[in-house]
Amino acid sequence: MNIHQQIALTLSTAATARAANWRAWAALAAMLVTIGGMLAMMWFLSSQPTLDLRAWLCGGASAASLVVWRALLPLAVEHGRRAR
C-alpha cells in the first residue's frame, strides 16, 4: 500500500469512526504529526545549519509517529469492520 492509499484509508476510517474507535482517531493524529514533523524538519534544515537540534527533534517525532500510525491503522480498520 502506498502513502496515498494509507492517507485515504486513514481519512475514510476516521470519517466513519464512532467515538468508541479511539484507534481511528489516534491513527489520524499520528498521521498529522508525521506529516507536520516532516514539514517542520525540512523547514528547519532549509533555514538553519544541519546541526540545528530542532530539525532532528521534529524528524524523530515524525519517525515515532509514523510507527504509531502504521501500527494503529490496521487495528482501526479491523475495529471498524467488526462494528459494521
Side-chain angles (χ1 to χ4, degrees):
M1 184 180 302
N2 67 30
I3 190 71
H4 301 291
Q5 292 169 330
Q6 289 177 3
I7 291 171
L9 183 60
T10 302
L11 293 175
S12 67
T13 303
T16 60
R18 308 263 192 288
N21 192 358
W22 61 269
R23 295 162 195 88
W25 301 110
L28 179 63
M31 180 191 77
L32 294 174
V33 170
T34 299
I35 294 170
M38 282 189 258
L39 292 174
M41 183 180 77
M42 288 187 278
W43 184 76
F44 282 128
L45 286 177
S46 69
S47 63
Q48 299 292 328
T50 58
L51 297 176
D52 187 7
L53 282 180
R54 294 176 296 179
W56 299 110
L57 289 173
C58 290
S62 178
S65 65
L66 178 64
V67 169
V68 171
W69 178 27
R70 294 291 307 239
L72 285 176
L73 185 57
L75 297 174
V77 170
E78 183 60 32
H79 186 273
R81 285 187 187 146
R82 278 188 277 136
R84 289 185 212 143

